Amino acid sequence: NAGVTQTPKFQVLKTGQSMTLQCAQDMNHNSMYWYRQDPGMGLRLIYYSASEGTTDKGEVPNGYNVSRLNKREFSLRLESAAPSQTSVYFCASSEAVGGSHTQYFGPGTRLTVL
Amino acid sequence: SQKIEQNSEALNIQEGKTATLTCNYTNYSPAYLQWYRQDPGRGPVFLLLIRENEKEKRKERLKVTFDTTLKQSLFHITASQPADSATYLCALDGNSGGGADGLTFGKGTHLIIQP
């Protein structure tokens, strides 16, 4: 099992460019998440998908869109990148065990917007 | 507003001693509290979960306590080793119960175990 995989690992964009971050999980989890991590800010939730076919906003959704393509895949799109979106992006998945959602994270995508 | 606080400064502990990390929260009524470990350049890895009706949870050299009256969790690593050096994150499921809509993370405490 690969767990949660993310592509690309690194990306440099110019302001205004667009890109899609890809995430896939092979654990058959229903729920998937996108977080961003910035120095001094900790992990913040961008969007989540509680199940295939549903997506909801998290704490910091502005400037992002998501697609839950199927149960395995959850992508994050930046339509017009801004320097404020320079961050490390983590995808995670979870399954309810005894009512709680322990999260399994991917290795991250390090994005720089110039 | 909801807030989670962890020791913002690095914690230096001598090898073999017990490391104790603190997580305090306000304006939450979490059903669960989780601890994660994060190494440089990697994603967080789940360590332990404790429920609101549990006082203490253990796993090998790790121990977590949860005091809902004080709104505090303590994370202990006994017989600490240099390999335990990492950033440790506290996470709450918020008020939704369970964390299906994501977790709220503290900023983490950087732990350094010195040989």
Side-chain angles (χ1 to χ4, degrees):
Chain A
N1 282 356
V4 179
T5 56
Q6 292 182 237
T7 55
K9 286 187 168 53
F10 301 93
Q11 184 70 50
V12 179
L13 293 177
K14 293 181 180 178
T15 297
Q17 287 185 316
S18 63
M19 79 161 295
T20 299
L21 282 64
Q22 306 287 353
C23 173
Q25 52 95 6
D26 62 2
M27 294 173 283
N28 203 35
H29 287 168
N30 281 321
S31 302
M32 297 186 74
Y33 312 83
W34 277 104
Y35 293 87
R36 60 179 288 175
Q37 188 173 39
D38 303 292
M41 296 295 293
L43 281 158
R44 292 180 293 170
L45 182 66
I46 305 171
Y47 270 94
Y48 68 97
S49 171
S51 61
E52 187 178 352
T54 68
T55 61
D56 283 286
K57 295 177 180 179
E59 180 186 355
V60 289
N62 290 347
Y64 305 96
N65 285 301
V66 290
S67 295
R68 183 74 183 266
L69 304 170
N70 47 56
K71 192 171 186 179
R72 288 188 66 247
E73 298 173 288
F74 188 37
S75 63
L76 178 73
R77 182 158 178 86
L78 287 69
E79 290 292 351
S80 179
S84 61
Q85 294 178 304
T86 294
S87 187
V88 181
Y89 292 85
F90 288 101
C91 178
S93 69
S94 74
E95 193 65 51
V97 176
S100 66
H101 280 255
T102 299
Q103 311 229 321
Y104 295 82
F105 285 85
T109 294
R110 281 142 190 85
L111 175 67
T112 301
V113 183
L114 302 175
Chain B
S1 62
Q2 298 175 328
K3 198 173 177 182
I4 302 174
E5 289 186 351
Q6 296 186 252
N7 308 50
S8 58
E9 296 176 5
L11 184 62
N12 283 274
I13 300 292
Q14 192 175 3
E15 182 177 6
K17 302 290 186 184
T18 296
T20 298
L21 285 64
T22 304
C23 175
N24 294 298
Y25 60 92
T26 55
N27 297 324
Y28 274 107
S29 296
Y32 305 91
L33 187 145
Q34 304 184 29
W35 284 89
Y36 290 76
R37 169 183 173 143
Q38 187 173 23
D39 291 287
R42 293 180 174 269
V45 174
F46 169 75
L47 295 174
L48 275 172
L49 176 150
I50 188 164
R51 293 175 171 77
E52 61 178 339
N53 61 352
E54 296 176 318
K55 296 291 184 188
E56 183 179 297
K57 200 80 166 283
R58 291 175 184 261
K59 179 182 177 183
E60 298 172 353
R61 295 184 295 110
L62 308 181
K63 184 178 85 170
V64 172
T65 63
F66 194 11
D67 188 325
T68 55
T69 302
L70 291 178
K71 294 187 180 295
Q72 181 181 78
S73 175
L74 299 178
F75 177 81
H76 307 272
I77 305 176
T78 59
S80 59
Q81 305 165 1
D84 295 325
S85 299
T87 296
Y88 291 86
L89 308 174
C90 162
L92 301 179
D93 66 297
N95 297 326
S96 65
D101 55 353
L103 299 177
T104 301
F105 285 83
K107 296 176 184 178
T109 297
H110 184 43
L111 176 65
I112 302 167
I113 306 299
Q114 310 220 339

